[in-house]
Amino acid sequence: MSILSLFTDLFRNLNQQRLRSFLTIFGIMWGTATLILLLAFGVGFRDQTVLNMRGMGDQLAIMFPGQTTKAFEGYGIGRPIRFREADAWMLKQQISEIDVVLPEYSSYLQISYGEKRRNSSVGGVYPGYQDVRNMYEKQGGRWLNDHDIREQRRVIFLGNRLAQNLFENEDPVGKSVMMQDTPFTVIGVLHEKIQNSSYSQQDQDRAFIPATTFSTMMGTDIINNIIYTPKDPAMAENIRDQVYEVMGRKHRFDPSDTDAVGIWDTNEFWAFIDIMFLGINGFLGLIGFFTLAVGGIGVANIMFVVVQERMKEIGIRRSVGAKRHHIMGQFFLETFLIIGLGAGAGYAIGWLLVQATQNIPIKEFVGAPYFSPEVGLIAFAVLGFVGFAAGLLPAWRAARLDIVECLRR
């Protein structure tokens, strides 16, 4: 039987039972659209969560000073640990797997411009802090540089919301603000970014000055925390163990005393994200699969009816030499053609639904659905499985029919 004849017979059969055919194709269409929409929401949620987390930095670990909870080498418990700038440079020197290490000063200070005043977390940092923390400036400004560090310049970089609160509609760059009765020149404003976590204050409300300027103003080299990134995220756990070893030797505490130095390693979060969204997307895909399977049952049902209605045709074809695999191939192909009609419409409707939900009110938290290539491929694979399962039994039954019984119909 030619392909043209197969298509002609298929559409003739569909036309003869319009309602039945419509409901069958509709089941596949709706199941496909549902599967695509659910998977697209899962991908969008994953991407938005990653984007939110990247607001604080990529593969970042933040060290906080704590106090000892274990006696060690004659020292008792409850002894506070204090970080100094030299500790950061020591970690970089002694742990080769660390890529970047940066000390960070921090204190809540009042910043004023004219009559406007704001209490803000002010960080004393080095230029490399920009890339580690994804701190990028708006056009017309700049970030801290090496000259600011060497010359201990009184320059300040403002978070975007802090700048808005102080300057409203004025351009802050080049203007002076007062901090600790000292004028600071604004050199840049933070480009707005999404950030759902922080370890002191949201970056949009913070200010940053050169670390050397901060140390001189406050008269101390005691820092609030140390930031580091690994060369290879897979080595994060090993690096953390080495950090405790190195800091334990320096500050005389038991390396197993994790309360002496707190470490928030965001690499653990990235590993958790992969597992969590594999489970979420798997669950959403399973719901979509079962929805599509209902449509597949409808296709299998209509193909069983078609087999009953076409028994005489099957008997004639077998009697003139058609093999069983020819009969199976014909009904498999018809099954996939029906599913293809529904799937094509389902892909179109799914894509339209994805586009229609791009501006949902909670987009900042759950993201917008995204029709990625992986969504299309997964949907295609599921459709292929459903089509095979829906066509197998009807095709098998058609191929195993007795020729004589078919010709008696």
Side-chain angles (χ1 to χ4, degrees):
M1 179 179 286
S2 67
I3 297 295
L4 179 60
S5 299
L6 190 60
F7 272 96
T8 302
D9 289 345
L10 174 64
F11 285 107
R12 184 181 66 249
N13 292 331
L14 291 177
N15 188 55
Q16 289 173 351
Q17 298 289 339
R18 295 178 185 176
L19 179 60
R20 183 182 68 185
S21 302
F22 170 77
L23 293 175
T24 302
I25 294 174
F26 180 82
I28 294 296
M29 178 187 71
W30 185 248
T32 303
T34 301
L35 178 65
I36 287 173
L37 187 61
L38 287 172
L39 291 175
F41 260 108
V43 172
F45 185 30
R46 180 197 64 193
D47 291 349
Q48 185 67 33
T49 302
V50 170
L51 180 63
N52 290 346
M53 192 61 187
R54 288 192 73 244
M56 196 179 71
D58 296 327
Q59 280 90 44
L60 193 66
I62 306 102
M63 297 171 52
F64 305 96
Q67 63 180 22
T68 60
T69 57
K70 296 180 181 180
F72 184 75
E73 294 184 352
Y75 292 95
I77 63 174
R79 180 168 55 90
I81 303 298
R82 295 290 179 264
F83 293 164
R84 298 182 182 276
E85 276 204 43
D87 292 333
W89 314 136
M90 175 187 65
L91 290 173
K92 175 62 176 175
Q93 183 180 25
Q94 296 191 22
I95 304 177
S96 60
E97 291 88 353
I98 287 180
D99 184 27
V100 177
V101 181
L102 293 168
E104 181 178 2
Y105 297 91
S106 183
S107 181
Y108 275 85
L109 302 171
Q110 186 179 87
I111 302 174
S112 62
Y113 175 70
E115 297 299 320
K116 297 183 177 67
R117 292 173 172 78
R118 288 291 184 275
N119 289 321
S120 175
S121 172
V122 179
V125 298
Y126 284 86
Y129 190 87
Q130 178 181 36
D131 293 328
V132 172
R133 289 288 325 283
N134 291 330
M135 303 284 296
Y136 299 107
E137 67 277 4
K138 288 184 177 180
Q139 188 174 4
R142 68 172 179 86
W143 177 249
L144 307 172
N145 60 34
D146 292 331
H147 294 293
D148 299 327
I149 297 294
R150 284 196 301 270
E151 298 171 17
Q152 299 181 19
R153 291 175 176 172
R154 293 194 299 272
V155 293
I156 189 168
F157 184 92
L158 300 178
N160 52 297
R161 190 159 68 181
L162 175 60
Q164 176 66 30
N165 290 334
L166 291 173
F167 292 91
E168 295 183 352
N169 296 323
E170 293 184 59
D171 183 5
V173 177
K175 294 184 172 63
S176 292
V177 297
M178 298 297 294
M179 185 174 67
Q180 294 288 90
D181 297 323
T182 303
F184 279 77
T185 302
V186 178
I187 58 171
V189 175
L190 177 68
H191 192 283
E192 185 176 356
K193 65 176 180 177
I194 298 173
Q195 181 183 358
N196 66 350
S197 59
S198 64
Y199 52 91
S200 59
Q201 190 179 24
Q202 293 283 322
D203 292 335
Q204 63 185 354
D205 297 313
R206 296 187 69 193
F208 301 89
I209 64 175
T212 50
T213 305
F214 191 106
S215 177
T216 301
M217 283 182 60
M218 300 301 178
T220 182
D221 66 344
I222 295 177
I223 58 178
N224 292 73
N225 49 270
I226 297 173
I227 299 172
Y228 70 82
T229 59
K231 292 179 179 178
D232 180 1
M235 297 294 294
E237 185 174 352
N238 181 54
I239 292 172
R240 189 165 61 248
D241 293 339
Q242 292 185 65
V243 166
Y244 280 112
E245 289 286 345
V246 172
M247 295 297 284
R249 286 195 301 268
K250 173 70 181 297
H251 293 277
R252 296 292 189 270
F253 66 83
D254 188 333
S256 65
D257 187 359
T258 56
D259 290 311
V261 173
I263 299 180
W264 178 17
D265 192 345
T266 63
N267 291 284
E268 295 176 350
F269 174 81
W270 294 111
F272 171 73
I273 280 289
D274 291 338
I275 297 173
M276 181 180 74
F277 279 102
L278 180 63
I280 290 176
N281 289 331
F283 177 70
L284 293 176
L286 190 63
I287 294 174
F289 171 77
F290 282 121
T291 304
L292 193 55
V294 173
I297 292 172
V299 174
N301 181 62
I302 195 176
M303 292 309 297
F304 272 119
V305 174
V306 169
V307 169
Q308 289 296 116
E309 293 176 345
R310 296 168 62 183
M311 286 183 66
K312 189 169 185 178
E313 175 192 328
I314 294 170
I316 294 173
R317 290 193 62 205
R318 288 293 312 281
S319 65
V320 296
K323 305 295 184 182
R324 286 181 173 178
H325 67 268
H326 294 146
I327 303 298
M328 286 192 69
Q330 176 186 347
F331 282 94
F332 256 125
L333 186 55
E334 289 187 13
T335 300
F336 278 105
L337 287 174
I338 292 173
I339 288 180
L341 290 173
Y347 265 86
I349 292 174
W351 183 84
L352 289 174
L353 288 173
V354 168
Q355 298 306 310
T357 52
Q358 288 299 301
N359 296 313
I360 55 177
I362 54 174
K363 178 180 178 180
E364 182 179 347
F365 304 100
V366 301
Y370 172 54
F371 191 94
S372 65
E374 63 185 284
V375 169
L377 288 173
I378 291 173
F380 183 80
V382 172
L383 282 165
F385 175 79
V386 170
F388 178 80
L392 178 61
L393 291 179
W396 180 270
R397 186 174 186 278
R400 291 297 184 275
L401 287 172
D402 183 79
I403 299 176
V404 176
E405 289 295 325
C406 289
L407 291 174
R408 286 177 180 173
R409 294 294 178 115

